[in-house]
């Protein structure tokens, strides 16, 4: 409820902090949102707040949802970077894949992509059939 009174920077920092605090990878409950994101616990509630704000009609709410989505992507990307830095990969002819293809197929990357695409779709303008019909009628009258 107080998110609307915060600046963009404050909202971003809050989401980053909440994801960092709630993103325990050892949480066996998962995210509870039907995905394999590997985040759980408090992140479920954060995702609900993001989804609620993205679904809201006012631009100020969508702003909060977008900031939350980007904070989620940043947090998950940092986890991916940590995983890549901690893994020792043996480079043999049998297991060599181009880095981009290998990374793009990882569940974390797919999860990040899905969240961003979902946020993007929620922010698209919705043109109702009646508005479209009214626009067509007006254009027919002009010609």
């Amino acid at each position: 409820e107080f998110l609307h009174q915060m600046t963009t920077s404050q909202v971003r920092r809050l989401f980053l902090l909440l994801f960092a605090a709630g993103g325990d990878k050892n949480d066996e409950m998962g995210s509870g949102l039907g995905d394999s994101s590997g985040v759980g616990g408090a992140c479920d509630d954060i995702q609900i707040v993001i989804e609620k704000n993205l679904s809201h009609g006012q631009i100020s709410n969508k702003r909060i949802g977008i900031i939350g989505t980007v904070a989620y992507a940043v947090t998950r990307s940092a986890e991916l970077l940590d995983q890549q830095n901690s893994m020792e990969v043996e480079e043999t002819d049998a297991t060599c894949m181009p880095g981009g293809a290998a990374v793009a197929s990882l569940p974390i990357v797919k999860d990040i992509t899905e969240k961003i695409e979902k946020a993007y779709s929620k922010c698209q303008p919705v043109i109702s059939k009646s508005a479209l019909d009214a626009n067509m009628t007006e254009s027919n009258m002009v010609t």
Side-chain angles (χ1 to χ4, degrees):
E1 282 69 47
F2 295 105
L3 291 173
H4 294 71
Q5 299 170 359
M6 296 177 148
T7 66
T8 299
S9 179
Q10 290 171 328
V11 173
R12 178 180 47 84
R13 287 180 187 154
L14 177 63
F15 276 120
L16 289 171
L17 177 66
L18 291 172
F19 280 123
D24 184 7
K25 290 184 242 176
N26 297 324
D27 188 348
E28 294 180 13
M29 293 178 59
S31 71
L33 295 177
D35 60 24
S36 58
S37 64
V39 294
C43 288
D44 288 346
D45 296 332
I46 301 166
Q47 291 291 348
I48 291 169
V49 168
I50 291 170
E51 182 72 26
K52 179 181 171 185
N53 280 287
L54 284 170
S55 298
H56 202 278
Q58 293 182 331
I59 192 72
S60 61
N61 290 82
K62 290 194 183 289
R63 174 186 71 94
I64 292 168
I66 292 167
I67 294 168
T69 301
V70 172
Y72 178 81
V74 167
T75 303
R76 296 290 284 157
S77 296
E79 291 174 21
L80 177 63
L81 188 59
D82 288 345
Q83 286 179 9
Q84 287 179 331
N85 288 338
S86 66
M87 290 178 10
E88 290 188 13
V89 180
E90 291 182 23
E91 298 209 10
T92 65
D93 291 336
T95 61
C96 250
M97 280 181 71
V103 171
S105 66
L106 292 174
I108 290 177
V109 175
K110 289 180 181 180
D111 181 49
I112 292 168
T113 304
E114 287 173 10
K115 298 289 190 211
I116 292 173
E117 287 174 352
K118 189 174 188 179
Y120 178 77
S121 69
K122 295 271 185 177
C123 294
Q124 293 297 308
V126 177
I127 300 175
S128 67
K129 185 177 181 330
S130 60
L132 187 60
D133 290 341
N135 189 23
M136 292 299 291
T137 305
E138 288 176 16
S139 66
N140 288 341
M141 294 175 79
V142 172
T143 57

